[in-house]
Amino acid sequence: MSRCPTGALFALSIVLLAGCATPVDRPPATLPAAAQAAAWQAPRPPADLPSDPGAARPAGWPLFDDPLLNRLVEAAQAGSPNLAAAQARIARARAGLAGSEAQGLPQVEANASAQRSRSLPASGGSAAGAGGFGFGGVSNSRQIGLQSSWEIDLFGGVAASVRAAAARLRHAEAGWHAARVALAAEVGTAYISLRACEAQLVQTEADARSREATARLSEQSARAGFTAPADAALARAGAAQAASAVRAQQAQCDTLVKGLVELSDWTEPALRRELAEGAGRLPQTPGLGPLPLPAELLGQRPDVDAARAAVEAAAADADLTRRDEKPRLSLGGSIGRSVTRGGGFDAEGGVWSLGPLTLSLPLFDGGRRRAASAGAEAAYDEALAQLQGTLRQALREVETALVALDASAAREPALQAAAEGFEAARRATEARQRGGLASLLDLETARRNALQARGALIEVQRERASAWITLYRSLGGGWRPGEAPRAAARAGTPD
């Protein structure tokens, strides 16, 4: 009867114990109550569609049929330091995943050595000892071989490390998408604000020209004795106030231009040439297509996916720290060829070894491993809480964007009517003032009302366009799970 070697029994126990290397079961994150609703509580936006659905737009940017805005978004995405840093984080996470996967494979190294040595002869100065076997002289030895080591994943530590690295890679990829969407929204908002500022500037300049003409005529009339000096002073004050408003509005527009220069990395003269063609014209209202249900939204936002990946990474880290409390098993070995010649002794042949098979058992570490495990579990709880917060914030952002979009759309017709009415009143008052039937104070009041009404109309148009951008961002910017980040091509700077 043959006896089973002790090493075979030990190897069998390794295989059986390896079956215990399964992740720790943890309860999944629960959806917020608002995500389980059958519909959004805020009014849905109108089913507007872009005027040209096939128009070329940057990836993930379906808004506005404005070629210049689309080019600015492309330029910002191509040259953004934040996106470049996000790409670097993806590359680092991918390298970390490759390193974690390599931990579960045997590690093999090639080594070679050579040695030349001289030894003393046997006692008595003779080169030959008893039996004629010599030991003195110079000897040469060479050895070449392969040496391997393998840490057996006895309790799933390597598998947990791979899961954590894979989750961190997904987190980095989702972070890149979130940064891209945020950048597109930032460029769009800055562009909309600039166009609204230009529209306000056009109105302010027109008002300043009208007031300057009135002041000039009032001065002439006062010198001729037909107008009271107080009215002429009022006209001069109104003209000066309007000129100051023009300079303030121009400074605001210049500041917004410089913000776009920073975002797009275009030169300011080139950007101003591009902006000159459509100055004061806000892009048309876009459409985003069907609005997803609350529960569907959570699968369309990269920040939500990044938070989920953070939870998965924290869970894998917690599993990894638990494995550190378990025994570790490693196996080594080598194979090679050795040649030794000299001193009357020649030897050549293959050499190999299997082992050592090392089992290390943690006995006492002062509670370090247990503390690390407790800290990892606390980190998992923190990541889970942050995921809950991200889910709730995502739902709130959509509801808020829908409210802002509905409010601006409802206010625009009333403000349009108010602007038309105050403009008609201004023209009538101006005609009456020229005929001597209205005072200069009446004309100044009519002008102020008309200017404020036009400004309010432009502002609500800006708010509506900005609300579309906010809704686009809160819906995830067209991102889908599993979408691989793409490096944006460098957009050309205009001549």
Side-chain angles (χ1 to χ4, degrees):
M1 180 177 178
S2 61
R3 299 176 58 189
C4 181
T6 304
L9 289 175
F10 192 63
L12 177 61
S13 66
I14 293 171
V15 175
L16 295 177
L17 287 173
C20 302
T22 56
V24 177
D25 291 332
R26 293 180 176 84
T30 58
L31 291 179
Q36 304 174 26
W40 297 100
Q41 302 305 305
R44 293 171 60 93
D48 296 342
L49 294 176
S51 59
D52 181 11
R57 296 183 180 87
W61 176 252
L63 302 180
F64 303 114
D65 294 326
D66 189 310
L68 177 56
L69 174 55
N70 295 340
R71 290 171 58 200
L72 287 171
V73 171
E74 285 182 334
Q77 291 179 343
S80 169
N82 291 336
L83 287 184
Q87 285 280 8
R89 286 192 291 271
I90 291 175
R92 186 175 62 186
R94 189 174 289 119
L97 175 58
S100 296
E101 291 173 340
Q103 290 179 5
L105 301 176
Q107 308 297 308
V108 180
E109 295 181 356
N111 53 69
S113 63
Q115 181 177 357
R116 180 179 177 86
S117 62
R118 178 179 183 277
S119 61
L120 295 175
S123 60
S126 173
F133 193 78
F135 287 94
V138 177
S139 63
N140 300 298
S141 63
R142 298 184 299 274
Q143 186 171 352
I144 186 170
L146 300 176
Q147 187 169 359
S148 66
S149 62
W150 178 33
E151 181 175 345
I152 302 170
D153 196 12
L154 189 61
F155 289 97
V158 174
S161 176
V162 170
R163 290 200 311 274
R168 288 190 173 90
L169 174 59
R170 206 177 94 216
H171 183 279
E173 291 176 344
W176 181 89
H177 285 287
R180 184 192 63 171
V181 171
L183 180 61
E186 185 179 2
V187 174
T189 300
Y191 183 83
I192 294 297
S193 298
L194 175 60
R195 289 310 195 190
C197 182
E198 292 172 343
Q200 296 277 20
L201 180 61
V202 170
Q203 299 298 328
T204 306
E205 288 175 337
D207 181 70
R209 288 193 297 270
S210 177
R211 290 174 183 268
E212 178 62 29
T214 299
R216 187 170 56 254
L217 293 175
S218 297
E219 285 289 340
Q220 296 173 357
S221 179
R223 284 195 296 268
F226 298 109
T227 299
D231 288 343
L234 178 62
R236 288 195 304 272
Q241 187 177 44
S244 175
V246 168
R247 287 191 290 270
Q249 192 69 33
Q250 182 65 63
Q252 181 180 352
C253 296
D254 290 341
T255 301
L256 292 170
V257 169
K258 294 184 184 302
L260 280 176
V261 167
E262 178 191 2
L263 290 171
S264 65
D265 198 26
W266 286 2
T267 63
E268 185 169 333
L271 179 58
R272 287 188 179 277
R273 287 195 299 269
E274 296 287 331
L275 290 168
E277 181 178 351
R281 185 172 66 243
L282 274 74
Q284 295 299 311
T285 302
L288 290 175
L291 193 66
L293 296 177
E296 296 173 344
L297 164 73
L298 304 181
Q300 295 184 196
R301 287 185 49 132
D303 60 337
V304 172
D305 190 64
R308 285 173 172 163
V311 171
E312 295 174 9
D317 286 340
D319 289 341
L320 183 59
T321 56
R322 285 178 176 270
R323 302 307 184 251
D324 287 341
E325 300 179 29
K326 307 298 182 182
R328 304 174 73 94
L329 184 67
S330 61
L331 176 65
S334 63
I335 185 173
R337 188 168 185 84
S338 177
V339 177
T340 302
R341 291 188 175 91
F345 175 77
D346 292 344
E348 180 176 354
V351 294
W352 63 270
S353 68
L354 180 61
L357 184 63
T358 306
L359 178 66
S360 60
L361 303 174
L363 296 178
F364 177 77
D365 60 2
R368 179 182 60 83
R369 290 182 176 86
R370 182 169 297 179
S373 180
E377 290 293 342
Y380 169 79
D381 293 338
E382 179 185 0
L384 194 61
Q386 289 176 346
L387 172 59
Q388 290 289 343
T390 303
L391 294 174
R392 295 184 184 184
Q393 179 182 351
L395 296 167
R396 178 186 61 80
E397 287 180 354
V398 175
E399 292 281 4
T400 303
L402 290 174
V403 169
L405 187 59
D406 180 69
S408 59
R411 291 169 55 208
E412 186 171 354
L415 290 175
Q416 180 71 43
E420 293 173 356
F422 279 116
E423 179 60 24
R426 183 197 65 79
R427 290 195 298 266
T429 304
E430 190 173 18
R432 292 174 60 230
Q433 193 269 340
R434 285 196 299 266
L437 300 177
S439 67
L440 187 60
L441 182 60
D442 294 335
L443 178 58
E444 292 296 323
T445 301
R447 282 172 171 167
R448 182 170 57 254
N449 291 338
L451 182 62
Q452 290 176 348
R454 290 193 299 268
L457 177 60
I458 294 172
E459 178 62 19
V460 79
Q461 291 171 345
R462 184 201 65 79
E463 289 179 3
R464 189 180 185 194
S466 297
W468 275 110
I469 295 176
T470 303
L471 181 60
Y472 147 83
R473 181 177 180 180
S474 64
L475 293 176
W479 173 82
R480 291 294 182 272
E483 181 182 357
R486 300 179 300 275
R490 180 65 181 174
T493 302
D495 296 332

